Amino acid sequence: MNGDIWKGTTVGNGLNVLLPGQYIKSYSKDGSFLYSSGTSMAAAYTEVLLLSFLKNILLIINPQSLKNMGKNQKFR
């Protein structure tokens, strides 16, 4: 909570991304708040980072591609 890197964090020369996974506020099964730690807690941050990266790559390859996303799609 003070900005320090948690002692169990992987560090090294090959590490390019550091995402929060320690003391993340979440919900329990009964709907109450809890704080949890671990790689599962960092998964949402990882997903957003990856999707942002892929969206930017898609825009570089085909700038018109995002304009048509979601049009004429039927969900079952």
Side-chain angles (χ1 to χ4, degrees):
M1 295 294 293
N2 60 5
D4 291 340
I5 295 176
W6 179 58
K7 65 181 178 178
T9 298
T10 301
V11 295
N13 294 332
L15 187 64
N16 295 320
V17 178
L18 182 65
L19 299 168
Q22 177 70 15
Y23 200 66
I24 304 294
K25 189 174 185 178
S26 187
Y27 290 98
S28 68
K29 289 181 182 180
D30 66 7
S32 61
F33 286 110
L34 60 84
Y35 289 90
S36 189
S37 301
T39 56
S40 295
M41 300 309 293
Y45 293 99
T46 306
E47 181 179 1
V48 170
L49 182 66
L50 177 62
L51 290 175
S52 296
F53 174 77
L54 292 175
K55 178 183 171 186
N56 288 330
I57 294 298
L58 184 60
L59 285 172
I60 290 168
I61 293 171
N62 183 2
Q64 297 298 318
S65 61
L66 292 182
K67 288 186 177 181
N68 295 323
M69 281 185 135
K71 292 182 181 177
N72 301 321
Q73 292 182 356
K74 295 180 181 178
F75 297 97
R76 298 176 191 189

